[in-house]
Amino acid sequence: MDEVVRKVAALGLPGVLLAIAMGATGLTGGAAIAAGLALLGGPSGILGGIGVLGITGLIADYLANDSIDRLLSEVYQLRARTERTGELLRELDNLPLSDELKSRLKWEVTQIGNNLANFATTISPLTQEAIEILNNVRGINYASEKDLKSSRPIFTLRDGTVVRTWKNPFGIDHIFLADSNGNIIYGGFVSWFDADNLNEAIELLRSQFT
Protein backbone atom coordinates (compact mmCIF):
# COMPACT_ATOMS: atom_id res chain seq x y z
CA MET A 1 0.00 0.00 0.00
CA ASP A 2 2.90 2.36 0.69
CA GLU A 3 4.00 2.10 -2.94
CA VAL A 4 0.75 3.42 -4.39
CA VAL A 5 0.71 6.29 -1.87
CA ARG A 6 4.25 7.29 -2.82
CA LYS A 7 3.54 7.11 -6.56
CA VAL A 8 0.27 9.03 -6.43
CA ALA A 9 1.92 11.67 -4.22
CA ALA A 10 4.89 11.94 -6.60
CA LEU A 11 2.54 12.64 -9.52
CA GLY A 12 0.81 15.42 -7.59
CA LEU A 13 -2.55 16.71 -8.80
CA PRO A 14 -2.82 14.44 -11.90
CA GLY A 15 -2.35 11.38 -9.70
CA VAL A 16 -4.93 12.64 -7.20
CA LEU A 17 -7.46 13.34 -9.97
CA LEU A 18 -6.98 9.87 -11.41
CA ALA A 19 -7.48 8.27 -7.98
CA ILE A 20 -10.65 10.30 -7.41
CA ALA A 21 -12.03 9.34 -10.82
CA MET A 22 -11.31 5.67 -10.25
CA GLY A 23 -12.81 5.82 -6.77
CA ALA A 24 -15.96 7.47 -8.11
CA THR A 25 -16.64 4.61 -10.52
CA GLY A 26 -16.90 2.00 -7.77
CA LEU A 27 -15.05 -0.41 -10.05
CA THR A 28 -11.85 -2.38 -9.50
CA GLY A 29 -9.18 -4.01 -11.61
CA GLY A 30 -9.13 -3.40 -15.35
CA ALA A 31 -12.63 -1.92 -15.35
CA ALA A 32 -11.59 0.75 -12.85
CA ILE A 33 -8.51 1.57 -14.90
CA ALA A 34 -10.55 2.03 -18.08
CA ALA A 35 -13.31 4.02 -16.35
CA GLY A 36 -10.87 6.23 -14.49
CA LEU A 37 -8.96 7.13 -17.64
CA ALA A 38 -12.21 7.68 -19.54
CA LEU A 39 -13.50 10.13 -16.92
CA LEU A 40 -10.27 12.10 -17.23
CA GLY A 41 -10.12 12.20 -20.99
CA GLY A 42 -8.63 8.86 -21.97
CA PRO A 43 -5.03 7.59 -22.13
CA SER A 44 -3.28 10.64 -23.51
CA GLY A 45 -0.70 13.13 -22.32
CA ILE A 46 0.14 12.88 -18.63
CA LEU A 47 -2.62 10.36 -18.04
CA GLY A 48 -1.20 8.09 -20.72
CA GLY A 49 2.12 8.31 -18.92
CA ILE A 50 0.43 7.35 -15.67
CA GLY A 51 -0.96 4.24 -17.34
CA VAL A 52 2.49 3.28 -18.62
CA LEU A 53 3.93 3.64 -15.13
CA GLY A 54 1.39 1.12 -13.84
CA ILE A 55 -0.04 3.54 -11.30
CA THR A 56 -3.61 2.80 -12.40
CA GLY A 57 -3.19 -0.86 -11.52
CA LEU A 58 -1.80 0.03 -8.10
CA ILE A 59 -4.69 2.40 -7.42
CA ALA A 60 -7.22 -0.24 -8.47
CA ASP A 61 -5.61 -2.80 -6.15
CA TYR A 62 -5.67 -0.29 -3.29
CA LEU A 63 -9.33 0.60 -3.82
CA ALA A 64 -10.26 -3.07 -3.89
CA ASN A 65 -9.14 -3.28 -0.26
CA ASP A 66 -9.54 0.23 1.15
CA SER A 67 -11.34 3.55 0.66
CA ILE A 68 -10.54 6.51 -1.56
CA ASP A 69 -10.81 8.70 1.56
CA ARG A 70 -7.94 6.89 3.21
CA LEU A 71 -5.82 6.93 0.06
CA LEU A 72 -6.25 10.68 -0.30
CA SER A 73 -5.50 11.17 3.39
CA GLU A 74 -2.22 9.29 3.14
CA VAL A 75 -1.28 10.98 -0.13
CA TYR A 76 -1.85 14.49 1.23
CA GLN A 77 -0.09 13.70 4.49
CA LEU A 78 2.95 12.69 2.43
CA ARG A 79 2.75 15.66 0.09
CA ALA A 80 2.35 18.06 3.04
CA ARG A 81 5.88 17.15 4.12
CA THR A 82 7.46 18.44 0.92
CA GLU A 83 5.01 20.93 -0.65
CA ARG A 84 3.76 24.35 0.43
CA THR A 85 0.73 24.23 2.72
CA GLY A 86 -1.07 27.11 0.99
CA GLU A 87 -0.77 25.54 -2.45
CA LEU A 88 -2.17 22.23 -1.21
CA LEU A 89 -5.08 23.97 0.50
CA ARG A 90 -5.94 25.82 -2.71
CA GLU A 91 -5.69 22.55 -4.63
CA LEU A 92 -8.10 20.87 -2.22
CA ASP A 93 -10.60 23.70 -2.65
CA ASN A 94 -10.98 22.80 -6.32
CA LEU A 95 -11.24 19.02 -6.01
CA PRO A 96 -14.59 17.25 -6.59
CA LEU A 97 -14.85 16.03 -2.99
CA SER A 98 -17.42 16.38 -0.22
CA ASP A 99 -17.05 19.36 2.12
CA GLU A 100 -16.51 16.93 5.01
CA LEU A 101 -13.60 15.17 3.31
CA LYS A 102 -12.09 18.46 2.17
CA SER A 103 -12.25 19.74 5.74
CA ARG A 104 -10.47 16.67 7.08
CA LEU A 105 -7.76 16.75 4.41
CA LYS A 106 -7.20 20.46 4.98
CA TRP A 107 -6.88 19.87 8.70
CA GLU A 108 -4.26 17.16 8.15
CA VAL A 109 -2.29 19.27 5.67
CA THR A 110 -2.38 22.28 7.98
CA GLN A 111 -1.30 20.32 11.03
CA ILE A 112 1.65 18.79 9.21
CA GLY A 113 2.61 22.10 7.66
CA ASN A 114 2.53 23.85 11.03
CA ASN A 115 4.41 21.23 13.00
CA LEU A 116 6.07 18.51 10.95
CA ALA A 117 7.84 16.95 13.90
CA ASN A 118 4.69 16.26 15.88
CA PHE A 119 2.41 14.57 13.35
CA ALA A 120 2.19 10.77 13.16
CA THR A 121 3.65 9.33 9.94
CA THR A 122 1.40 6.25 9.71
CA ILE A 123 -2.16 5.35 10.68
CA SER A 124 -3.17 1.71 11.20
CA PRO A 125 -6.43 0.27 9.83
CA LEU A 126 -7.82 0.02 13.39
CA THR A 127 -7.10 3.67 14.12
CA GLN A 128 -8.58 4.62 10.76
CA GLU A 129 -11.81 2.92 11.85
CA ALA A 130 -11.68 4.89 15.10
CA ILE A 131 -11.27 8.13 13.14
CA GLU A 132 -14.30 7.28 11.01
CA ILE A 133 -16.38 6.79 14.17
CA LEU A 134 -15.25 10.15 15.52
CA ASN A 135 -15.85 11.88 12.18
CA ASN A 136 -19.45 10.67 12.34
CA VAL A 137 -20.11 12.30 15.71
CA ARG A 138 -22.73 15.02 15.28
CA GLY A 139 -21.19 18.47 15.52
CA ILE A 140 -17.56 17.34 15.44
CA ASN A 141 -15.01 19.99 14.43
CA TYR A 142 -11.28 19.58 13.90
CA ALA A 143 -9.10 20.65 16.82
CA SER A 144 -5.67 22.26 16.79
CA GLU A 145 -2.57 20.16 17.39
CA LYS A 146 -1.35 22.72 19.93
CA ASP A 147 -4.10 21.66 22.36
CA LEU A 148 -2.88 18.05 22.43
CA LYS A 149 -0.43 18.89 25.22
CA SER A 150 -3.32 19.97 27.45
CA SER A 151 -5.12 16.63 27.10
CA ARG A 152 -4.76 13.54 29.30
CA PRO A 153 -4.68 9.89 28.22
CA ILE A 154 -7.76 7.86 29.14
CA PHE A 155 -7.09 4.52 27.39
CA THR A 156 -5.05 2.88 24.62
CA LEU A 157 -6.33 1.09 21.52
CA ARG A 158 -5.09 -2.37 20.59
CA ASP A 159 -2.64 -0.94 18.06
CA GLY A 160 -1.03 1.36 20.62
CA THR A 161 -2.91 4.53 19.68
CA VAL A 162 -3.60 6.62 22.77
CA VAL A 163 -7.02 8.19 23.25
CA ARG A 164 -6.77 11.54 25.06
CA THR A 165 -9.40 14.03 26.18
CA TRP A 166 -9.47 17.66 27.33
CA LYS A 167 -12.11 20.16 28.41
CA ASN A 168 -11.04 23.72 27.68
CA PRO A 169 -11.74 26.65 30.05
CA PHE A 170 -15.10 27.21 28.32
CA GLY A 171 -16.19 23.63 28.97
CA ILE A 172 -15.75 22.47 25.36
CA ASP A 173 -14.94 18.74 25.13
CA HIS A 174 -11.96 17.73 22.98
CA ILE A 175 -10.84 14.29 21.79
CA PHE A 176 -7.37 13.43 20.49
CA LEU A 177 -5.72 10.31 19.09
CA ALA A 178 -1.93 10.15 19.37
CA ASP A 179 0.72 7.57 18.63
CA SER A 180 2.95 6.03 21.30
CA ASN A 181 5.50 8.82 20.81
CA GLY A 182 2.95 11.56 21.47
CA ASN A 183 2.51 12.58 17.83
CA ILE A 184 -1.00 13.69 16.92
CA ILE A 185 -3.11 11.51 14.66
CA TYR A 186 -6.51 13.14 15.10
CA GLY A 187 -8.08 15.97 17.05
CA GLY A 188 -11.68 17.09 17.37
CA PHE A 189 -14.09 18.99 19.59
CA VAL A 190 -17.85 19.43 19.99
CA SER A 191 -20.10 22.08 21.47
CA TRP A 192 -21.91 21.58 24.79
CA PHE A 193 -25.00 20.42 22.88
CA ASP A 194 -23.15 17.48 21.30
CA ALA A 195 -21.01 16.43 24.29
CA ASP A 196 -23.15 13.33 24.92
CA ASN A 197 -22.64 12.19 21.32
CA LEU A 198 -18.87 12.46 21.71
CA ASN A 199 -18.95 10.56 24.99
CA GLU A 200 -20.93 7.76 23.34
CA ALA A 201 -18.32 7.54 20.57
CA ILE A 202 -15.51 7.41 23.13
CA GLU A 203 -17.20 4.55 24.95
CA LEU A 204 -17.67 2.78 21.62
CA LEU A 205 -13.94 3.04 20.97
CA ARG A 206 -13.23 1.73 24.47
CA SER A 207 -15.51 -1.28 24.04
CA GLN A 208 -14.58 -2.22 20.47
CA PHE A 209 -10.92 -1.30 20.04
CA THR A 210 -9.19 -1.88 23.39
Side-chain angles (χ1 to χ4, degrees):
M1 295 301 182
D2 288 345
E3 182 182 5
V4 65
V5 172
R6 288 195 302 272
K7 287 191 173 183
V8 172
L11 288 166
L13 180 58
V16 168
L17 289 173
L18 179 61
I20 292 172
M22 292 176 66
T25 66
L27 301 173
T28 59
I33 295 170
L37 288 173
L39 284 175
L40 293 173
S44 60
I46 182 65
L47 296 180
I50 291 173
V52 171
L53 290 172
I55 187 65
T56 49
L58 289 173
I59 294 173
D61 288 343
Y62 186 104
L63 295 178
N65 297 286
D66 218 320
S67 69
I68 183 64
D69 290 15
R70 184 172 181 192
L71 175 58
L72 293 176
S73 176
E74 294 186 353
V75 165
Y76 275 100
Q77 284 185 38
L78 185 57
R79 291 181 63 193
R81 288 169 168 78
T82 59
E83 301 181 42
R84 294 181 181 276
T85 300
E87 292 178 359
L88 291 178
L89 294 178
R90 285 191 291 273
E91 178 178 302
L92 285 165
D93 275 332
N94 295 317
L95 291 181
L97 301 172
S98 68
D99 289 341
E100 180 183 355
L101 180 54
K102 280 186 184 181
S103 178
R104 174 155 63 90
L105 294 175
K106 286 182 176 182
W107 180 85
E108 292 172 350
V109 166
T110 301
Q111 294 302 312
I112 295 173
N114 287 346
N115 202 337
L116 285 171
N118 293 329
F119 202 96
T121 56
T122 59
I123 302 176
S124 76
L126 185 143
T127 292
Q128 187 67 31
E129 288 184 48
I131 289 173
E132 290 175 4
I133 288 173
L134 293 173
N135 276 335
N136 286 325
V137 171
R138 189 180 66 187
I140 195 75
N141 298 283
Y142 294 106
S144 171
E145 180 270 340
K146 65 182 178 63
D147 291 324
L148 175 67
K149 63 181 181 296
S150 300
S151 65
R152 63 179 183 87
I154 56 174
F155 57 87
T156 302
L157 306 185
R158 290 194 301 274
D159 63 354
T161 295
V162 180
V163 178
R164 307 175 63 98
T165 57
W166 176 57
K167 190 185 293 287
N168 74 7
F170 300 100
I172 301 298
D173 288 306
H174 289 61
I175 175 76
F176 295 96
L177 303 180
D179 67 16
S180 57
N181 295 316
N183 300 312
I184 190 170
I185 297 173
Y186 177 91
F189 69 91
V190 295
S191 70
W192 304 303
F193 305 105
D194 296 310
D196 288 343
N197 299 319
L198 178 58
N199 289 331
E200 288 177 6
I202 291 173
E203 290 308 310
L204 182 60
L205 297 186
R206 190 195 302 270
S207 64
Q208 292 194 3
F209 299 136
T210 61

